Amino acid sequence: MRFLLTTWGSRGDVEPLAGLAVALRELGAEAQVAAPPDEDFAALLARAGVPLVPLGPTVHSVVANPKPPTPQDAFKLAPALVAARFETLSAAAEGCDGLLATGLMPAGARDVAEKRGIPYVLACFHLLGLPSRHFPPGRRPGTPSPEGETDNRVLWEQDAQRVNALYGEALNTHRAAIGLPPVDNVRDHVLTGQPWLAADPVLCPSEGRTDLDVVQTGAWILPDDRPLPDGLEAFLDAGAPPVYVGFGSMASYIPKDIAQVAIEAVRAQGRRVLLARGWAELTRIDDADDCFVVGEVNQQALFPRVAAVVHHGGAGTTTTAARAGAPQVIVPQVADQPHWAARVAELGIGVAHEGRAPTVGSLSAALTTALTPEIRAEARTVAGTIRPDGATVAAKLLLDISARH
């Protein structure tokens, strides 16, 4: 069997698909991933032996700018991605037995599957975009809801209208071009009534939290057996475990002085600093030997050897740190990150920093809490409950759906 997996988003959207593709391969199936053509993602998929089908513009070109994307940028990107999906996925899906989509509102993916007559699955890595009577929708470009509106059902209806404004015209134009009828509610059409949740049930419990019939598989983890670089090994061996600080692809969101603040806050705790360069190109503030800067690295091997992980709260980093038993300090910036921060704090395995722009004092205070023996012990306890087989669970489900179809 052959499957097409697709996403458009950051590394946290691409790496899980690589993990799922590897799990499918281990079960005797083939899979290719249609994803943004960023060099980082191409290298990741190549390392996993998974074919890359370039889809749309690079993510780096959209998010790694001096300022975050504007609503106007979103209204340009949305129809462009719809067009890219119809063009790219239509060709890539030929001969496939199923199509799974995730990432930024993958409008166009289900429609290609419909035209091809193959099963379609929508997967997500958090609950933020799934309609629920229990919580309001997240922010989305477009006409905001009236101030004072508190009825979640109304708010979610207005969220659907915003999705239609972003994607509706482009989607229905392309559907008409291939002989498909129009869609009235793009969001619900993309999500389906039974989306998959590729997140660990301990870190992201789903029962009773959304109005949809969610299938929770566990997180899709790509095994990583790469050794750590020699320079990093030497730094780790030269003293007590350092505090890791990294903000991934959040280049246009994090404060410009975040490296200075983080290094000084970690030093205030008497700890060494391991600074991840990331898309913001973070770097040292002096030549002191208590700070080491690292690029892309095997976090699965690294996080068990650090004192704590300071990060933005992406699903992948949160899960990797939790599996490693490393205390976390999450400084959330956008989207689902505040939810991961809140959950880490609720579980007692870390601290949710209040606000996206920490000071030396506020981050040092958060680290004071995160570095306590109590949080370290709880982090190690929770680590033993994180299931490692989510990708295999999902791969078996996908094979079963295709076989039944």
Side-chain angles (χ1 to χ4, degrees):
M1 287 186 173
R2 296 181 62 225
F3 294 93
L4 176 59
L5 316 177
T6 184
T7 189
W8 197 90
S10 67
R11 184 190 181 100
D13 297 295
V14 178
E15 186 163 334
L17 291 191
L20 176 57
V22 169
L24 283 164
R25 186 171 64 213
E26 291 174 346
L27 294 173
E30 298 178 29
Q32 56 185 342
V33 172
D38 294 75
E39 291 182 8
D40 296 358
F41 307 159
L44 184 156
L45 290 164
R47 173 166 57 84
V50 177
L52 167 65
V53 178
L55 173 69
T58 65
V59 176
H60 192 278
S61 68
V62 175
V63 305
N65 297 308
K67 294 183 179 180
T70 66
Q72 292 76 18
D73 294 332
F75 275 91
K76 292 178 182 177
L77 179 63
L81 286 178
V82 170
R85 291 190 185 101
F86 272 89
E87 179 181 357
T88 302
L89 302 184
S90 293
E94 183 175 358
C96 287
D97 299 288
L99 193 160
L100 180 144
T102 187
L104 179 66
M105 188 56 66
R110 180 177 183 177
D111 316 276
V112 169
E114 182 181 346
K115 184 66 176 179
R116 288 283 183 186
I118 58 177
Y120 162 81
V121 174
L122 184 282
C124 51
F125 305 120
H126 52 81
L127 296 169
L128 183 63
L130 304 184
S132 172
R133 71 195 72 180
H134 303 296
F135 55 81
R139 296 180 62 184
R140 201 187 297 275
T143 304
S145 296
E147 189 173 347
E149 179 61 71
T150 59
D151 188 326
N152 285 334
R153 290 171 298 181
V154 172
L155 292 172
W156 280 104
E157 288 171 2
Q158 293 164 348
D159 176 73
Q161 293 167 12
R162 285 189 283 273
V163 176
N164 279 348
L166 282 163
Y167 298 94
E169 181 179 356
L171 181 70
N172 285 325
T173 297
H174 285 280
R175 282 179 63 87
I178 59 174
L180 297 178
V183 168
D184 293 330
N185 185 322
V186 175
R187 185 197 66 198
D188 291 357
H189 171 74
V190 170
L191 294 179
T192 78
Q194 195 174 61
W196 290 8
L197 177 60
D200 188 84
V202 172
L203 297 176
C204 185
S206 62
E207 189 172 351
R209 301 195 182 203
T210 173
D211 298 340
L212 302 182
D213 182 18
V214 170
V215 176
Q216 187 159 17
T217 64
W220 301 346
I221 297 166
L222 176 65
D224 194 344
D225 58 3
R226 293 174 297 164
L228 298 176
D230 291 342
L232 176 55
E233 280 281 7
F235 177 75
L236 292 171
D237 291 341
V243 172
Y244 172 95
V245 178
F247 294 91
S249 62
M250 296 289 103
S252 60
Y253 294 94
I254 56 174
K256 302 308 177 188
D257 65 344
I258 192 68
Q260 175 100 25
V261 167
I263 291 171
E264 291 185 8
V266 175
R267 285 174 171 170
Q269 296 295 316
R271 298 278 182 168
R272 301 187 301 154
V273 189
L274 181 55
L275 188 66
R277 189 175 294 110
W279 283 7
E281 295 291 335
L282 301 183
T283 191
R284 304 157 61 111
I285 60 174
D286 54 37
D287 294 330
D289 61 5
D290 66 343
C291 182
F292 189 90
V293 179
V294 67
E296 201 280 318
V297 70
N298 181 353
Q299 293 182 343
Q300 295 173 25
L302 174 61
F303 284 179
R305 301 178 63 180
V306 302
V309 177
V310 178
H311 64 106
H312 56 294
T317 309
T318 303
T319 302
T320 303
R323 289 184 70 218
Q328 305 182 48
V329 174
I330 297 183
V331 186
Q333 302 296 308
V334 295
D336 58 318
Q337 295 165 14
H339 296 264
W340 291 108
R343 182 58 178 164
V344 160
E346 182 181 10
L347 287 169
I349 61 174
V351 178
H353 183 275
E354 185 175 349
R356 55 176 294 272
T359 64
V360 173
S362 68
L363 188 54
S364 180
L367 280 167
T368 296
T369 302
L371 292 168
T372 59
E374 293 79 11
I375 284 189
R376 165 66 71 177
E378 193 61 32
R380 287 175 174 168
T381 298
V382 170
T385 70
I386 307 298
R387 60 182 303 171
D389 62 342
T392 300
V393 170
K396 290 178 178 178
L397 284 172
L398 202 53
L399 288 167
D400 182 59
I401 288 173
S402 179
R404 286 190 281 111
H405 180 81

